[in-house]
């Protein structure tokens, strides 16, 4: 099983600041990595697929980078609605995809 | 607009069974692979099961293999998850998710609570 480790567990920032979230895989997943956003009481929403491609309708302030085992989700300037939990997910080991444990982005 | 709506959750005793349904609309259901993903209270996401467009290919996570059965009815635009031999650790919100390489659309989830 490919284990995804996200860091930090919690990130406290203010609106307007830049957020950098990390996801590290226990073995290479090539570029088969996605990022999801989940707000309380809501389903996850796909933000980024294939490491760096924004999903339909996702604002340009969200960007993804990385390949192999190290990946980053960057939010260039935080909006109030961006405070949520973010998960990474790999599909290199499809169909047995796995998720990271999540990073909680909270308002400072 | 793509819409997925789960139903069938509820409270069940340990060892019991439940059948979850996911009604799809706003897209051609038979053109998409589908999955079930769950989230235990306060925890992260866990993939459970996959079914191909026709239903001919099916996969399960080890945690539910032999206890859960995924199926679909393309004529009814519906996805199902039959859950047997339920355990306390199966308590979670269960989501159906459409797959287009990744999980590009999700339902709002249905809560399953297993009492011991």
């Amino acid at each position: 099983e490919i284990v995804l480790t996200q860091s930090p567990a919690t990130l406290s920032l203010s609106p307007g600041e830049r957020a950098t979230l990390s996801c590290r895989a226990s073995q290479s997943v090539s570029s088969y990595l996605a990022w999801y956003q989940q707000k309380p009481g809501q389903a996850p929403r796909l933000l980024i697929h294939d490491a760096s491609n924004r999903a339909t309708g996702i604002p340009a302030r969200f960007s993804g980078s990385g390949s192999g085992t190290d990946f980053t989700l960057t939010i260039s300037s935080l909006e109030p609605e961006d405070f949520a939990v973010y998960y990474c997910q790999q599909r290199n080991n499809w169909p047995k995809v796995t998720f990271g444990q999540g990073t909680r982005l909270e308002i400072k | 607009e793509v819409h997925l709506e789960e139903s069938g959750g509820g409270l069940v005793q340990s060892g019991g069974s439940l059948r979850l349904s996911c009604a799809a609309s706003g897209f051609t259901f038979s053109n998409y692979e589908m999955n079930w993903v769950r989230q235990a209270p306060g925890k992260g996401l866990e993939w459970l099961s996959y079914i191909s467009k026709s239903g001919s290919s099916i996969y399960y996570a080890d945690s539910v293999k032999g206890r859960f059965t995924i199926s679909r009815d393309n004529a009814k635009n519906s996805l199902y998850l039959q859950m047997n031999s339920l355990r306390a650790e199966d308590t979670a919100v269960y989501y159906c998710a459409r797959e287009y390489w990744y999980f590009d659309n999700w339902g709002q989830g249905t809560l399953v609570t297993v009492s011991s």
Side-chain angles (χ1 to χ4, degrees):
Chain A
E1 176 183 314
I2 297 177
V3 176
L4 299 179
T5 302
Q6 293 186 240
S7 61
T10 303
L11 184 59
S12 300
L13 293 170
S14 300
E17 290 192 294
R18 181 184 187 91
T20 303
L21 288 67
S22 175
C23 176
R24 177 165 289 179
S26 59
Q27 63 188 76
S28 176
V29 298
S30 186
S31 293
Y32 297 124
L33 189 107
W35 290 93
Y36 298 84
Q37 177 194 67
Q38 186 178 34
K39 297 180 181 179
Q42 296 186 17
R45 177 175 70 145
L46 178 65
L47 297 177
I48 301 288
H49 63 88
D50 296 314
S52 61
N53 297 292
R54 277 189 303 276
T56 303
I58 301 303
R61 65 181 181 272
F62 291 91
S63 64
S65 63
S67 65
T69 60
D70 290 294
F71 299 87
T72 300
L73 172 69
T74 301
I75 310 172
S76 59
S77 180
L78 285 165
E79 297 287 343
E81 61 267 27
D82 297 337
F83 292 91
V85 179
Y86 292 83
Y87 294 95
C88 56
Q89 176 239 322
Q90 65 79 23
R91 61 161 278 133
N92 188 69
N93 199 30
W94 186 92
K96 298 202 173 185
V97 303
T98 53
F99 294 87
Q101 84 281 12
T103 289
R104 180 178 303 278
L105 179 56
E106 64 176 26
I107 300 176
K108 187 174 182 180
Chain B
E1 181 188 357
V2 173
H3 186 68
L4 298 168
E5 184 168 348
E6 302 89 342
S7 61
L11 177 63
V12 62
Q13 286 191 329
S14 180
S17 299
L18 275 179
R19 188 193 195 210
L20 305 184
S21 299
C22 170
S25 60
F27 65 102
T28 303
F29 181 69
S30 59
N31 286 352
Y32 288 85
E33 300 155 314
M34 298 294 296
N35 292 261
W36 288 97
V37 178
R38 71 183 177 186
Q39 186 169 38
K43 302 297 184 182
L45 301 164
E46 179 188 15
W47 171 79
L48 296 180
S49 185
Y50 158 93
I51 188 167
S52 62
K53 299 172 192 178
S54 66
S56 60
S57 292
I58 285 173
Y59 300 100
Y60 298 99
D62 291 343
S63 58
V64 303
K65 195 171 185 178
R67 300 188 299 125
F68 290 11
T69 302
I70 192 172
S71 62
R72 66 190 294 163
D73 185 335
N74 287 341
K76 295 183 177 180
N77 294 329
S78 293
L79 175 73
Y80 305 101
L81 187 67
Q82 176 67 43
M83 305 187 296
N84 298 331
S85 303
L86 283 162
R87 308 164 179 166
E89 56 264 36
D90 295 318
T91 293
V93 173
Y94 286 72
Y95 296 101
C96 60
R98 190 180 82 167
E99 179 175 335
Y100 186 68
W101 294 99
Y102 296 91
F103 303 136
D104 68 342
N105 280 274
W106 301 61
Q108 281 305 299
T110 187
L111 176 62
V112 172
T113 302
V114 183
S115 65
S116 53

